[in-house]
Amino acid sequence: MSLQSFMHNAYQHYFQPLYQKCKAYRDFKRDKMFFVRRHQKAFGYTPDFKAPKTLNEKIIHRILYDRNPLYTALADKLKARIYIAAKLQDFMGGGGQIIF
């Protein structure tokens, strides 16, 4: 194994995933601080997003801790219709015609 291939493998299997985790953590902290400041400014108290009590805290909890890409698709009307149509076709066996 050459030094170049060793370095390439080390980068791909160790450094790149480590960098991605650090970047995700940094982005999470930045997002959390943004929402804490905005919530304090709007409502006058420091929110607890780990154990949410109000509806606003629960919504922000979902934004911060549940990063499911399906939510992004369902927020878009057209993508939501396409997703639901595909699920209904799977449910109906592909035989039924779905009209919007």
Side-chain angles (χ1 to χ4, degrees):
M1 177 184 286
S2 70
L3 180 62
Q4 184 178 7
S5 65
F6 174 76
M7 292 300 290
H8 180 71
N9 287 338
Y11 174 76
Q12 272 190 327
H13 297 292
Y14 180 72
F15 293 111
Q16 189 175 21
L18 185 63
Y19 173 76
Q20 293 297 330
K21 284 182 184 179
C22 290
K23 185 176 182 292
Y25 181 73
R26 185 182 67 227
D27 292 345
F28 170 77
K29 289 303 237 182
R30 186 180 307 139
D31 291 345
K32 186 175 179 183
M33 287 310 302
F34 168 77
F35 284 119
V36 166
R37 283 190 210 117
R38 189 172 80 169
H39 197 278
Q40 283 175 336
K41 190 180 224 183
F43 299 107
Y45 69 95
T46 303
D48 181 15
F49 296 133
K50 289 258 187 190
K53 292 175 184 61
T54 66
L55 178 64
N56 289 321
E57 288 177 6
K58 290 177 183 184
I59 291 170
I60 300 303
H61 179 272
R62 173 147 300 168
I63 290 171
L64 288 173
Y65 296 103
D66 189 9
R67 295 189 178 236
N68 188 344
L70 179 61
Y71 297 141
T72 305
L74 292 178
D76 183 7
K77 265 193 208 178
L78 182 59
K79 286 182 183 178
R81 288 180 181 178
I82 292 169
Y83 175 78
I84 293 169
K87 288 296 179 183
L88 286 176
Q89 282 183 347
D90 291 344
F91 180 71
M92 297 168 68
Q97 182 179 6
I98 298 173
I99 301 171
F100 291 111

